């Protein structure tokens, strides 16, 4: 097995996920749940390279505004380059725990696979409540990594790989299932909960999205799997292949 533990280019990775059929499908669902309308002010918490800003801006035109916030200088530079000619989009540097917006200034907000990585998801939701206007809505799209399932004749190996990813590779590996509780604790009213479980039948696509080979190598190094897992992942790659993962979409509103 090729030993590739290095992370892929983060911008290319986000673009690949967004362009994949499962990525396009869940992002359309997020937009539906946001219920964007002309004139609204929208906050994208952790906007990354700005992949989804233009789509949101189109829905709040002609006089709305979409504000993307991210703390990564590389992501910010790319987002600014991609949206430089779009008058309804602003890019601001800042931490999602302390978004640089005044109180009561946004109608809508979203996070897309961001809370899994942050230090304190509860604080991010508290900040949304601060910056939201009465009745403001947030849509959260977050995975639950214990819902990563890989078919094989040795399911115990797949379970250990999933456990490794959920425990060691992602800061908040099970945040997806906790979104409704976190929203309630932040004083938000949950309006909708949807689960999405895209099916992958092509190994190379799933390997790009989940980093299967590199995470097998890391799990071996960490003692979650033994060296025989190299044979296992190559057998899985040879097919027939099937994998799925669980993503939670939650829409919540500031109670009035």
């Amino acid at each position: 097995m090729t030993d590739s533990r290095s992370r892929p280019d983060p911008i290319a990775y986000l673009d690949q996920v967004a362009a994949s059929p499962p990525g396009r499908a869940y992002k359309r669902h997020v937009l539906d749940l946001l219920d964007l309308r002309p004139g609204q002010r929208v906050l994208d918490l952790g906007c990354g390279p700005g992949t989804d800003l233009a789509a949101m801006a189109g829905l709040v035109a002609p006089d709305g505004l979409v504000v993307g916030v991210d703390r990564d200088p590389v992501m910010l530079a790319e987002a600014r380059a991609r949206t430089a000619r779009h008058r309804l989009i602003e890019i601001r540097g800042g931490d999602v725990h302390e978004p640089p917006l005044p109180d009561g200034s946004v109608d809508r907000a979203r996070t897309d696979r961001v809370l899994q990585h942050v230090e304190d998801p509860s604080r991010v939701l508290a900040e949304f409540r601060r910056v939201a206007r009465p009745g403001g809505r947030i849509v959260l799209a977050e995975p639950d990594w214990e819902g990563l399932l890989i078919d094989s004749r040795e399911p115990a190996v797949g379970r250990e790989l999933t456990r490794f990813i959920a425990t060691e590779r992602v800061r908040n590996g099970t945040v997806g299932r906790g979104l409704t509780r976190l929203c309630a604790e932040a004083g938000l009213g949950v309006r909708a909960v949807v689960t999405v479980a895209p099916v992958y039948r092509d190994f190379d696509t799933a390997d790009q999205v989940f980093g299967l080979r590199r995470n097998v190598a890391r799990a071996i190094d960490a003692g979650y799997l033994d060296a025989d897992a190299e044979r296992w992942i190559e057998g899985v790659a040879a097919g027939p292949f099937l994998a799925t993962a669980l993503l939670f979409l939650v829409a919540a509103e500031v109670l009035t």
Side-chain angles (χ1 to χ4, degrees):
M1 181 178 72
T2 301
D3 185 3
S4 178
R5 293 167 173 78
S6 61
R7 292 182 60 191
D9 175 80
I11 293 175
Y13 171 77
L14 291 172
D15 285 345
Q16 287 170 352
V17 172
S20 69
R24 293 197 302 269
Y26 92 78
K27 286 177 179 290
R28 283 194 299 269
H29 209 144
V30 168
L31 283 178
D32 290 343
L33 290 171
L34 275 170
D35 189 27
L36 298 178
R37 301 178 185 182
Q40 288 180 330
R41 189 178 179 96
V42 185
L43 172 61
D44 190 353
L45 287 160
C47 66
T51 306
D52 304 303
L53 298 176
M56 291 188 286
L59 293 171
V60 300
D63 54 353
L65 180 68
V66 177
V67 179
V69 173
D70 207 287
R71 69 177 185 179
D72 186 318
V74 175
M75 294 293 178
L76 289 168
E78 182 67 17
R80 289 185 175 118
R82 291 182 180 187
T83 62
R85 298 184 180 181
H86 208 305
R87 65 180 183 83
L88 301 183
I89 297 174
E90 290 184 7
I91 308 299
R92 301 184 186 180
D95 194 314
V96 297
H97 296 90
E98 298 180 80
L101 284 90
D103 296 359
S105 60
V106 303
D107 302 289
R108 297 287 188 267
R110 68 155 213 167
T111 70
D112 186 348
R113 294 169 296 137
V114 171
L115 297 187
Q116 62 176 323
H117 300 303
V118 303
E119 181 179 347
D120 188 351
S122 295
R123 185 176 170 192
V124 176
L125 288 171
E127 281 296 291
F128 161 71
R129 189 175 181 189
R130 176 185 68 78
V131 302
R133 293 171 178 155
R137 172 177 291 200
I138 187 168
V139 175
L140 312 152
E142 297 294 339
D144 191 308
W145 283 102
E146 288 187 356
L148 172 62
L149 305 174
I150 304 164
D151 178 52
S152 79
R153 295 183 181 276
E154 302 171 75
V157 181
R159 286 194 294 269
E160 279 302 294
L161 177 60
T162 292
R163 187 170 75 91
F164 168 73
I165 293 172
T167 304
E168 302 291 343
R169 298 303 302 167
V170 182
R171 174 177 269 168
N172 305 306
T174 60
V175 70
R177 76 185 72 172
L179 290 177
T180 56
R181 170 177 47 81
L182 291 169
C183 286
E185 291 171 352
L188 304 174
V190 174
R191 301 303 183 214
V193 180
V194 178
T195 56
V196 179
V199 173
Y200 297 83
R201 298 184 63 189
D202 175 71
F203 176 83
D204 289 338
T205 301
D207 192 28
Q208 287 178 347
V209 173
F210 303 125
L212 299 177
R213 280 194 170 102
R214 68 176 177 272
N215 278 311
V216 164
R218 290 165 172 165
I220 292 171
D221 289 346
Y224 281 74
L225 297 172
D226 61 33
D228 199 43
E230 295 186 354
R231 174 199 55 79
W232 175 82
I233 193 62
E234 293 309 319
V236 167
F241 177 79
L242 186 143
T244 187
L246 186 59
L247 186 73
F248 283 83
L249 310 182
V250 173
E253 294 180 351
V254 176
L255 299 173
T256 56

